[in-house]
Structures are given as structure tokens and as C-alpha cells.
Amino acid sequence: MRKQEVIRIKHNMASSMRSLFSDHGRYVECFRRFLNNSTEHQCMLEFMDKQLPGIIARIGDTKSEIKILSIGGGAGEIDLQILSKVKAQYPGVHINNEVVEPSAEQITKYKELVAKTSNLENIKFAWHKETSSEYQNRVMEKKDIHKWDFIHMIQMLYYVKDIPATLKFFHSLLATNAKILIIVVSGTSGWDKLWKKYGSCLPQNDLCEYVTSSDLTQMLDSLGIKYECYDLLSNMDITDCFIDGNENGELLWDFLTETCNFTMTAPPDLKAEIMKDLQEPEFSVRIEGKVLFNNNLSFIVIEA
């Protein structure tokens, strides 16, 4: 077979790969499997317990109301942890918590969580079904610019087209002593290496950008915005990815590659190469027979 024919066949096979974001139901299930198999939420909760109280120590000084803006608040689990820390820091102070979230399904889950959570007195909730850029456009058009005491963007900057403009805009909304908390994957994580090496071989989509803390800190430096960056260790158990036909492994593969049915649609040589790489020390460690992918997170705190 001539080389050109091999390339054409590979191209045709590759073209059958489609973005995981084209199948919302499957994406949601893959994300759920990722959370079940990773220490992502535990890592965030550890940060909230140990670091957040110091970070928010002055955001409510001399204020009768603390205004918090959650960008991409999802189903609200982490948001409520943040609110509990702010409440503990400023007992009795009214908190106005506004949420910008494009998924109606996630907003519904967030409202259900609030309804069954006690100890939320003094907290007023409002939800806006929109993306961060839609929020930005609405605010600018109406010239309805509020200042916020705490803004957080947790694992959402991947879905923003113009990140520097977004950072600059939200930084301009900070009140006195206010902070922005951003959580993204670390530049030291396996994600960084995976995206850099294989991003161009995987389905390109308009929904998701490959961005890590290394990219963000460079952007913040060029914007002249002050920040602190904390790295926390996290991992994702991908052992099932190396068991043929394992359903959990198949879904984790989809999440890792952002490809719908990756193992069935990827060219065999690409699949074999990624499979081999993901077991290498730069991507994962082996502990007690498990393959743990490096899911390290960065917590970036921006000052007003």
C-alpha cells in the first residue's frame, strides 16, 4: 500500500472521531466518572479548609453585605463550601451570592442542593443562565456594573474564548480588599503534557481551550495583575483504562481525550501511543497496582 493511501485511510479514521462535547449526556456521565475516580473535590475541599480563610480574611471588612459572584458555579457543591467559610469569617453579615452558569440542568441541581442545605440564613441566591461572556456583554450593554467582594472561577476558564479580556473584565469588578479565586489544572499536571503532545491529533472543538496555570500566570503577568499561585496534588485513578472492554475505563478515556467513544473511533496507532504514554512517569505514577494520572490543580488568587 502506498504511503499516501495509508495517510488517507488514517485521516478518514481520524475524521470519524468527534468531540465529547457533541454528546451532552455522555459528557455529563464521563465527568461524573472523572470525579468518582479522582481526588479533585477532596483537593479543592482541603484548599477551602486550609487556605481560603486566610484569603478571605479582609474581603468583608466594614461592609454590611458581602457580594460574591460565582462564574460557572455548576451544581453548587464547591460554592456552598466557599459560602460556609465566608459565613464563619463574618457571622451575621448578609451575603449576596450570584451564580453565572450556562447549564439549566446544573442550575436545577444547585437549587435542589440549596433547598436541602441548612444553615444558609443570611445568604441570598440568584442564578443567571448564561456564559461568562454573555454576562460580561449584558453588564457592559446595560452599564449595570456591580462591584464584588469575592469572585470565583472554578475549572471554567477552558470554556472561555478570550481569556485575557475575561480576566481584565472581572478584575475591574473587584471592590476594596476583594479577591478572585481561579482553579485550573496545573502546568505540572499530566493534562498539560497530554494536551501539548496530542491536542492537534484529537477532535478540535469550539467549546474547550487547552489552558493550564502556566498559561494563566503568563497572561496575568502581561496584564500587570497581581496574584499568588498555590499548587495542590491531585490524581485520577485510570487503572480501568487498561482493561479491555471496561465500561468505566471507556468513559475515562473519553474524558481524558475529550473524544466521544475514543477507544472505538481513534486510529489504532494513536490509541496505542497515548495508552503507552499515560503509563509513563511524566503522566502517571504506579502505586499498589494502580495507575494514577497526575491531576494536579493550581489555585490562583488575584487581588483588587
Side-chain angles (χ1 to χ4, degrees):
M1 192 183 284
R2 291 200 310 273
K3 191 175 179 184
Q4 284 88 343
E5 257 184 280
V6 173
I7 290 168
R8 183 176 56 76
I9 289 166
K10 282 186 178 179
H11 175 75
N12 288 341
M13 288 180 76
S15 68
S16 71
M17 293 168 74
R18 63 190 176 97
S19 167
L20 180 57
F21 297 98
S22 64
D23 184 335
H24 179 68
R26 190 167 177 89
Y27 170 77
V28 169
E29 182 56 24
C30 290
F31 182 61
R32 190 177 73 78
R33 299 298 179 110
F34 160 69
L35 288 180
N36 287 348
N37 283 268
S38 75
T39 59
E40 172 115 346
H41 270 184
Q42 295 93 302
C43 172
M44 289 184 192
L45 294 176
E46 184 187 330
F47 178 85
M48 301 306 167
D49 281 341
K50 293 181 178 172
Q51 306 282 357
L52 192 64
I55 289 163
I56 60 172
R58 294 186 57 225
I59 64 167
D61 284 1
T62 72
K63 293 167 186 168
S64 58
E65 178 185 64
I66 296 172
K67 293 180 176 175
I68 298 177
L69 182 61
S70 164
I71 305 294
E77 300 102 321
I78 302 298
D79 282 23
L80 292 194
Q81 292 296 324
I82 290 171
L83 288 167
S84 73
K85 299 299 176 196
V86 176
K87 210 164 175 289
Q89 194 94 22
Y90 297 97
V93 175
H94 185 76
I95 299 169
N96 179 18
N97 184 70
E98 293 203 19
V99 182
V100 172
E101 168 56 54
S103 164
E105 184 186 358
Q106 293 288 76
I107 289 174
T108 299
K109 286 182 179 171
Y110 197 138
K111 288 178 176 176
E112 286 168 358
L113 183 63
V114 167
K116 66 185 183 194
T117 303
S118 57
N119 204 26
L120 294 177
E121 61 277 1
N122 291 340
I123 304 177
K124 179 185 160 201
F125 289 89
W127 289 268
H128 306 281
K129 185 187 171 298
E130 57 194 353
T131 64
S132 65
S133 55
E134 285 166 349
Y135 172 84
Q136 185 173 336
N137 293 339
R138 175 169 64 83
V139 165
M140 297 304 279
E141 277 169 25
K142 288 187 173 177
K143 297 190 171 48
D144 181 23
I145 296 172
H146 293 288
K147 293 286 185 177
W148 300 91
D149 301 305
F150 191 58
I151 299 173
H152 53 85
M153 306 173 166
I154 296 173
Q155 294 287 48
M156 58 68 61
L157 279 172
Y158 318 109
Y159 311 106
V160 168
K161 277 285 160 267
D162 190 340
I163 296 174
T166 299
L167 293 171
K168 195 173 174 184
F169 169 73
F170 285 106
H171 185 249
S172 75
L173 301 185
L174 292 179
T176 312
N177 297 330
K179 302 275 176 76
I180 297 176
L181 170 64
I182 294 171
I183 304 180
V184 289
V185 295
S186 168
T188 67
S189 69
W191 293 107
D192 182 69
K193 294 163 187 68
L194 184 66
W195 292 340
K196 280 179 179 157
K197 187 165 182 181
Y198 294 106
S200 60
C201 307
L202 298 169
Q204 304 300 300
N205 64 78
D206 294 330
L207 268 169
C208 197
E209 302 288 323
Y210 297 134
V211 62
T212 70
S213 60
S214 302
D215 306 305
L216 286 185
T217 52
Q218 282 177 19
M219 291 174 197
L220 291 167
D221 286 339
S222 66
L223 289 166
I225 293 175
K226 277 193 206 169
Y227 63 88
E228 284 182 10
C229 188
Y230 308 79
D231 260 22
L232 260 73
L233 302 180
S234 173
N235 65 56
M236 171 187 178
D237 184 348
I238 58 170
T239 314
D240 288 347
C241 291
F242 307 101
I243 302 169
D244 270 355
N246 182 287
E247 186 206 6
N248 193 49
E250 303 278 330
L251 290 160
L252 291 174
W253 268 121
D254 286 12
F255 190 80
L256 280 162
T257 60
E258 292 176 6
T259 304
C260 206
N261 297 307
F262 171 78
T263 58
M264 291 162 64
T265 60
D269 54 348
L270 175 66
K271 183 177 152 187
E273 197 181 339
I274 297 181
M275 247 183 197
K276 180 176 173 294
D277 264 355
L278 285 189
Q279 297 178 76
E280 296 295 328
E282 62 185 310
F283 289 92
S284 304
V285 292
R286 280 186 179 270
I287 296 175
E288 296 173 358
K290 291 184 173 179
V291 183
L292 303 177
F293 180 74
N294 180 331
N295 184 57
N296 289 357
L297 299 176
S298 288
F299 297 73
I300 299 171
V301 180
I302 296 172
E303 298 175 29

